[in-house]
Amino acid sequence: MSGHSSYEFSNPVVKWLDSRLPIVTMVKAQAMDFPTPKNLNYWWTFGGILATMLVIQLITGIVLVMHYTPHVDMAFDSVEHIRRDVNYGNIIQKLHANGASFFFIAVYIHMFRGLYYGSYKAPREVLWMIGVAIFLAMMATGFMGYVLPWGQMSFWGAKVITNLFSAIPFFGEAIVTWLWGGFSVDNATLQRFFSLHYLLPFVLCALVFLHVWALHVSGNGNPVGVEVKSGQDTVSFHPYYTMKDLFAILVFLLFLFGFVFFSPDYLGHPINYVEANPLVTPAHIVPEWYYLPFYAILRSIPDKLLGVVAMFASILILFILPWLDTSKVRSATYRPRYRQLFWILVVVCLGLGVCGAQPAEGGWVIASRILTAWYFLHFLVFLPLLGLFETPKPLPSSISESVLAKQAAKSTAAAQPAE
Amino acid sequence: MSKTMNKIVKFLTTAALATTLASGITLAAGGGNKLAKDIDFSFEGIFGKYDRAQLQRGYLVYKEVCAACHSMRLVSFRNLSQPGGPEFSEEQVKAIAAGFEVTDGPNEDGEMFQRPAVPADRFPSPFANVEAATSANGGAYPPDLSLVTKSREGWHFPWYVSPFIKLVKGGGGAEYVYSLLIGYEDPPHGEEKEGLHYNPYFSTQWLAMPNPLNEDAVEYADGTKASVDQMARDVSAFMAWASEPKMEERKRTGFFIMIYLGILSVLMFLVKKKIWRDLH
Amino acid sequence: MAGACAGGREIGVTQLHREGLIIVSTMETTDSERRDFLYIATGAAGVGFAGISVWPFIDQMNPDASVLALSSVEVDIGPIEEGQSITIKWRGNPVIIRHRTPKEIEDAKAVPVADLPDPAARNANVADSADAADANRVVDGNEKYLVMLGVCTHLGCVPIGDAGDFGGWFCPCHGSHYDTAGRIRLGPAPENLPVPPFSYLSDTKIRIG
């Protein structure tokens, strides 16, 4: 990432190493001295939280593979073997399963933070697009991972989702058979999903590396949305944001561990404790909660192909978001109309999540259709138009000015000198 | 702490029932079956533990009644003596295991043979395979009971309260087993279905399993009266343990980790505050 | 620590009335001491947490409950004819059970312990200090049956029976010769073949482990 040594090291070993491989310089420049806007709020800690979750998932995953057997006759029992017999196995397995959920909680907050503060706007388009790619990779990883315990929902989830590809004209059937390696989801499918579930996290790591690289080229955005203008606007990443991130990570882990230790099955489906049976479909097939909004979009459209297209489009649309939003102002703080739209979008996404969990009948279908329509209108119509008509509030001239103004406001409110 | 929890639970349940009844929504999303009766099992809540004596009684009921048709293939005899379970002594477990025959082999002649079970063996299944179990039971497979309290839910609430109720009360799997066992009654309107029995707690109200429990069907070693209600409670608790045998260890570890992590978070917050204060 | 802080503050308070400047410097010392303590405490708690977190991931690689439970096996040794051996699997390793001939027993007894490369019994059923005399290689004085792990003490290959220069076992991997009591006599192996813990349930039945 960084070129030659620009630091003077007193330790001869460090000096020797750094002149040959400037890794110490890189860490110092990129992870410690990196100038970071001083007004980042706690919504900005989710990047660090996500990195932590990725590490937790990798470690627990690698450990689980030491005990798991990817075979239709043994997969279910081997997961139970982990829960029942392996030392600390039930905690590690539950940490991995709940960790996936919390990974998605963090990524959704991270994404909505980006939407609220306009983090996708120039010069951070590529940073944002890599982020969307990370989200896609996460979804694929999570989906294949859910198949591995080989419960009823694993099996039928796999069957339904792979069947989406049968909607592709002409080649659909052939593609699905190819995905399955047979005429149904079976052992071949399980084994390839296992392989890919192990592979994709490393792709994720590579994407995360690119994401961080892009971040360090453009620098962090910030809640005000005004670019950094001078050293006055920034602080070094360490210790200011390392410590803040660590605190946020610990609090996040408190929630995660609360579920792992006291309600480990809350986020899962009971029916997945029944071994996969290709002859019996469960009464309600529901994906894990983090796919529900997309599942609702899929089901809201009565046409098979269009439903699949809409579902994928709802994610892919995020790739072109930087060019759909015509406003030059980044932060929703200074865009009153956009702020309203943003919160409506949050409610729409939550609503889609609720619809996705319900049986596709009656009012739920109508509700999903309205919400799906709103979702696409938001990105394709409202955002492009809003930038042309909205009058943003006046922006502060710099980050430090906004910070000082905030402090001044605070001290007048407290009717006491600040320091 | 647990009292507050109980109050919250009570409040939520009452609120949920009130809203549900007021809006006239059927309680069950599934097939109109009754909500399971809410039993205060000893293993509920953050500090809940299994009642050893109850698990031991429950094992007897399982062995004498359920095991005739239902397998519990993920549980081993050795589990009966491990900490956090019924905690039979190792000698008792050996004796229990020795009372069962398991198939082993092949021996040097290539033949499978029968031998008395040892603690390392899994509970033997009453039928050789699913097909045999299905055909012997009139086409209805008696499900394996290893995970029954985790794979069934006792109650369904409307979506706007369900997440909160399930967070504090769980899915009610053990309550479902209990309710099903005590829930057999005469079908309404004298209706009859060939080979099926009426039970309002079952998803379709008609199930192939006849009422399995009769008064004094087993004789408890600790002198507890073997009423149907008692046996149903005990065997549900036993199945809850069989589904989640590491629960006590998990909660204990969790309690310690949460306290430690809580303190660490507070310290971290103070560090963060201190560092940032110096900035201004 | 707390005492020092309190002391520091007290000086500051008394001097407050006299000289405004001094209190500032005293307060700063107190403050930085408290800060150092906070950093150290947090760092220590953090390292402690990391330590606790690492253990489950190490311990999961230890034998699990189902493996430990299988660690004993019963064998019917009645059908083994004199001069015959059987090999059974115990904890994933071959265990050799040999019904020895009188000649084999005599040969083993004839060797002075002092001549053996490994003079220790290597028998889990006798005291650790016992020597490698033939009587210490068997259990309950039952000289007929030799029970030992068929795992060469050199690098773990399975020695071949009725082979080698001493009429016992021979390891084909690197040429270790064991005698009729399973003791190392020649070759790179450092120790006698180990006798696993076992007991006689009856004259013809043993339980290993």
Side-chain angles (χ1 to χ4, degrees):
Chain A
M1 274 195 206
S2 84
H4 287 286
S5 183
S6 48
Y7 291 93
E8 279 301 318
F9 298 103
S10 51
N11 185 322
V13 179
V14 173
K15 201 172 171 175
W16 180 87
L17 173 68
D18 203 65
S19 59
R20 282 151 182 83
L21 176 70
I23 190 166
V24 189
T25 295
M26 191 189 90
V27 169
K28 243 180 116 41
Q30 302 296 327
M32 295 176 77
D33 297 344
F34 188 69
T36 314
K38 63 180 180 185
N39 60 339
L40 301 188
N41 54 34
Y42 274 103
W43 298 113
W44 258 265
T45 59
F46 281 87
I49 289 170
L50 283 162
T52 311
M53 287 314 300
L54 179 59
V55 171
I56 289 179
Q57 292 303 87
L58 277 172
I59 294 176
T60 51
I62 287 169
V63 161
L64 289 172
V65 170
M66 296 183 187
H67 306 280
Y68 172 76
T69 312
H71 187 282
V72 287
D73 293 336
M74 286 174 272
F76 186 85
D77 285 12
S78 72
V79 174
E80 275 306 316
H81 161 71
I82 292 170
R83 293 191 188 116
R84 286 162 191 266
D85 293 333
V86 174
N87 303 324
Y88 296 101
N90 69 327
I91 294 170
I92 294 171
Q93 192 269 333
K94 281 300 162 200
L95 188 53
H96 195 72
N98 285 285
S101 274
F102 275 73
F103 207 158
F104 276 96
I105 291 177
V107 90
Y108 282 133
I109 295 177
H110 193 64
M111 288 165 74
F112 275 107
R113 190 269 290 157
L115 289 178
Y116 186 87
Y117 292 112
S119 307
Y120 46 85
K121 293 186 189 182
R124 298 187 182 81
E125 302 96 323
V126 172
L127 172 60
W128 170 263
M129 289 161 80
I130 297 170
V132 178
I134 290 175
F135 178 56
L136 277 174
M138 272 178 69
M139 292 184 87
T141 311
F143 162 64
M144 294 191 199
Y146 191 64
V147 177
L148 304 184
W150 208 241
Q152 271 289 65
M153 205 61 97
S154 301
F155 181 91
W156 290 100
K159 189 140 190 183
V160 167
I161 299 301
T162 46
N163 256 320
L164 291 180
F165 294 93
S166 70
I168 299 170
F170 307 116
F171 308 108
E173 287 299 319
I175 288 173
V176 172
T177 309
W178 173 76
L179 278 175
W180 288 341
F183 303 104
S184 174
V185 173
D186 209 335
N187 195 47
T189 326
L190 175 61
Q191 294 206 354
R192 65 191 57 182
F193 276 23
F194 175 61
S195 170
L196 294 174
H197 183 70
Y198 207 107
L199 167 74
L200 277 178
F202 297 103
V203 175
L204 257 178
C205 287
L207 287 170
V208 167
F209 178 80
L210 294 179
H211 195 61
V212 173
W213 187 2
L215 171 74
H216 280 226
V217 171
S218 61
N220 284 84
N222 68 79
V224 175
V226 179
E227 285 296 286
V228 168
K229 295 207 168 102
S230 71
Q232 284 278 304
D233 294 342
T234 64
V235 291
S236 60
F237 187 71
H238 175 78
Y240 295 100
Y241 284 109
T242 44
M243 295 303 131
K244 190 175 183 174
D245 280 1
L246 268 177
F247 168 62
I249 288 166
L250 288 174
V251 173
F252 192 79
L253 288 183
L254 265 175
F255 282 99
L256 168 60
F257 287 160
F259 275 89
V260 168
F261 287 112
F262 298 110
S263 212
D265 295 312
Y266 179 74
L267 295 163
H269 298 290
I271 198 72
N272 222 31
Y273 280 111
V274 176
E275 191 170 5
N277 183 350
L279 304 181
V280 182
T281 310
H284 298 291
I285 299 182
V286 194
E288 289 289 83
W289 68 266
Y290 35 85
Y291 301 125
L292 288 175
F294 304 101
Y295 193 55
I297 291 175
L298 168 80
R299 295 192 309 184
S300 67
I301 295 174
D303 181 82
K304 187 174 175 181
L305 177 60
L306 287 181
V308 175
V309 168
M311 189 187 75
F312 282 109
S314 66
I315 304 168
L316 297 179
I317 206 169
L318 296 173
F319 274 114
I320 53 164
L321 174 61
W323 297 276
L324 289 174
D325 189 343
T326 47
S327 173
K328 290 278 170 280
V329 178
R330 293 195 183 87
S331 173
T333 316
Y334 301 97
R335 299 183 61 191
R337 289 280 159 263
Y338 174 69
R339 194 162 65 212
Q340 290 168 350
L341 273 183
F342 169 84
W343 287 112
I344 293 174
L345 182 71
V346 171
V347 172
V348 164
C349 290
L350 292 174
L352 280 169
V354 172
C355 291
Q358 305 301 323
E361 55 198 28
W364 293 112
V365 177
I366 299 164
S368 339
R369 284 185 189 157
I370 294 170
L371 295 173
T372 302
W374 183 276
Y375 181 92
F376 285 104
L377 283 175
H378 174 95
F379 287 108
L380 295 173
V381 179
F382 300 156
L383 273 192
L385 290 182
L386 189 64
L388 306 177
F389 298 112
E390 187 184 46
T391 327
K393 288 204 252 178
L395 291 171
S397 63
S398 74
I399 292 172
S400 62
E401 189 201 278
S402 90
V403 171
L404 289 175
K406 242 186 197 169
Q407 275 173 358
K410 225 188 223 168
S411 43
T412 12
Q416 258 180 6
E419 303 278 314
Chain B
M1 180 109 182
S2 61
K3 262 190 187 164
T4 336
M5 283 284 291
N6 275 341
K7 270 186 194 162
I8 296 171
V9 174
K10 284 239 167 72
F11 172 75
L12 277 174
T13 326
T14 328
L17 285 172
T19 47
T20 318
L21 293 176
S23 57
I25 298 168
T26 349
L27 282 174
N33 51 312
K34 261 166 93 174
L35 283 187
K37 286 195 176 160
D38 190 8
I39 306 293
D40 281 328
F41 281 112
S42 66
F43 47 82
E44 290 169 352
I46 293 175
F47 302 106
K49 286 183 170 178
Y50 295 115
D51 175 346
R52 314 271 167 252
Q54 182 170 48
L55 294 194
Q56 296 198 358
R57 291 196 301 269
Y59 171 66
L60 185 71
V61 179
Y62 163 74
K63 187 177 104 171
E64 301 283 326
V65 182
C66 317
C69 303
H70 291 274
S71 60
M72 201 181 244
R73 63 188 176 85
L74 296 172
V75 183
S76 302
F77 291 108
R78 65 185 158 81
N79 296 135
L80 294 171
S81 64
Q82 79 193 13
E87 295 189 2
F88 285 105
S89 73
E90 291 200 12
E91 290 312 311
Q92 282 173 310
V93 170
K94 273 182 197 168
I96 290 169
F100 290 87
E101 291 265 300
V102 292
T103 307
D104 200 349
N107 61 15
E108 50 269 41
D109 303 322
E111 306 283 337
M112 302 304 280
F113 57 92
Q114 294 291 115
R115 62 163 173 80
V118 295
D121 286 313
R122 301 270 184 98
F123 285 4
S125 299
F127 300 100
N129 46 51
V130 174
E131 287 73 14
T134 310
S135 97
N137 287 282
Y141 170 62
D144 183 82
L145 298 177
S146 312
L147 286 162
V148 70
T149 65
K150 291 211 289 190
S151 62
R152 305 288 193 281
E153 282 190 311
W155 34 64
H156 302 273
F157 292 103
W159 62 272
Y160 45 87
V161 282
S162 173
F164 308 105
I165 295 177
K166 282 187 179 161
L167 189 59
V168 273
K169 289 176 71 71
E175 281 85 351
Y176 169 77
V177 174
Y178 165 82
S179 304
L180 192 76
L181 289 174
I182 56 139
Y184 284 88
E185 53 184 63
D186 293 330
H189 326 301
E191 200 182 344
E192 273 191 35
K193 293 195 183 180
E194 176 72 28
L196 294 177
H197 308 269
Y198 182 76
N199 190 323
Y201 295 101
F202 191 66
S203 56
T204 57
Q205 284 98 40
W206 292 90
L207 77 165
M209 175 171 80
N211 188 355
L213 294 176
N214 303 308
E215 291 287 310
D216 297 311
V218 300
E219 198 177 320
Y220 284 137
D222 61 3
T224 308
K225 166 102 177 87
S227 64
V228 168
D229 183 81
Q230 185 67 42
M231 289 187 288
R233 271 168 204 264
D234 293 348
V235 82
S236 321
F238 175 74
M239 285 177 200
W241 166 78
S243 301
E244 192 71 14
K246 294 281 190 78
M247 183 205 73
E248 291 189 14
E249 183 197 28
R250 188 191 78 214
K251 287 180 180 171
R252 210 169 36 240
T253 317
F255 187 69
F256 170 74
I257 294 283
M258 294 300 272
I259 297 222
Y260 195 120
L261 203 58
I263 294 171
L264 185 56
S265 308
V266 171
L267 284 173
M268 205 61 229
F269 178 69
L270 295 176
V271 166
K272 183 254 159 190
K273 232 174 83 175
K274 207 135 224 176
I275 285 170
W276 278 84
R277 202 183 66 187
D278 291 350
L279 183 68
H280 305 309
Chain C
M1 192 82 214
C5 291
R9 191 173 290 148
E10 233 157 63
I11 295 164
V13 171
T14 46
Q15 284 172 339
L16 173 67
H17 304 291
R18 280 177 272 156
E19 233 175 312
L21 273 175
I22 292 174
I23 182 161
V24 175
S25 67
T26 327
M27 286 291 275
E28 265 173 13
T29 335
T30 319
D31 209 37
S32 77
E33 270 175 24
R34 206 182 296 148
R35 181 166 44 208
D36 286 348
F37 175 70
L38 177 63
Y39 292 165
I40 291 166
T42 311
V47 169
F49 185 68
I52 304 167
S53 313
V54 165
W55 174 244
F57 295 100
I58 295 173
D59 193 37
Q60 54 86 17
M61 282 172 72
N62 276 319
D64 64 49
S66 62
V67 171
L68 292 175
L70 285 171
S71 58
S72 81
V73 60
E74 286 175 19
V75 189
D76 190 2
I77 56 174
I80 310 173
E81 302 278 333
E82 203 173 87
Q84 271 192 340
S85 314
I86 61 163
T87 305
I88 56 119
K89 201 166 94 170
W90 175 67
R91 284 184 175 176
N93 282 317
V95 171
I96 298 167
I97 304 171
R98 182 165 180 89
H99 188 165
R100 298 193 293 179
T101 61
K103 178 169 183 308
E104 285 172 354
I105 300 171
E106 285 313 307
D107 286 353
K109 280 183 166 173
V111 185
V113 172
D115 291 357
L116 294 169
D118 178 19
R122 309 287 170 198
N123 182 344
N125 309 287
V126 302
D128 283 351
S129 56
D131 64 36
D134 188 64
N136 288 335
R137 296 282 296 162
V138 296
V139 166
D140 295 348
N142 194 344
E143 292 175 338
K144 279 199 299 189
Y145 293 105
L146 180 65
V147 179
M148 58 190 188
L149 279 183
V151 179
C152 180
T153 57
H154 180 221
L155 290 171
C157 296
V158 180
I160 299 165
D162 293 318
D165 297 353
F166 302 89
W169 286 265
F170 171 71
C171 180
C173 289
H174 306 97
S176 293
H177 298 258
Y178 297 90
D179 67 13
T180 54
R183 297 172 298 198
I184 181 67
R185 297 294 288 277
L186 185 68
E191 290 176 8
N192 303 328
L193 291 174
V195 177
F198 77 95
S199 56
Y200 287 94
L201 298 176
S202 71
D203 284 351
T204 59
K205 200 160 196 188
I206 61 169
R207 184 172 56 214
I208 304 171

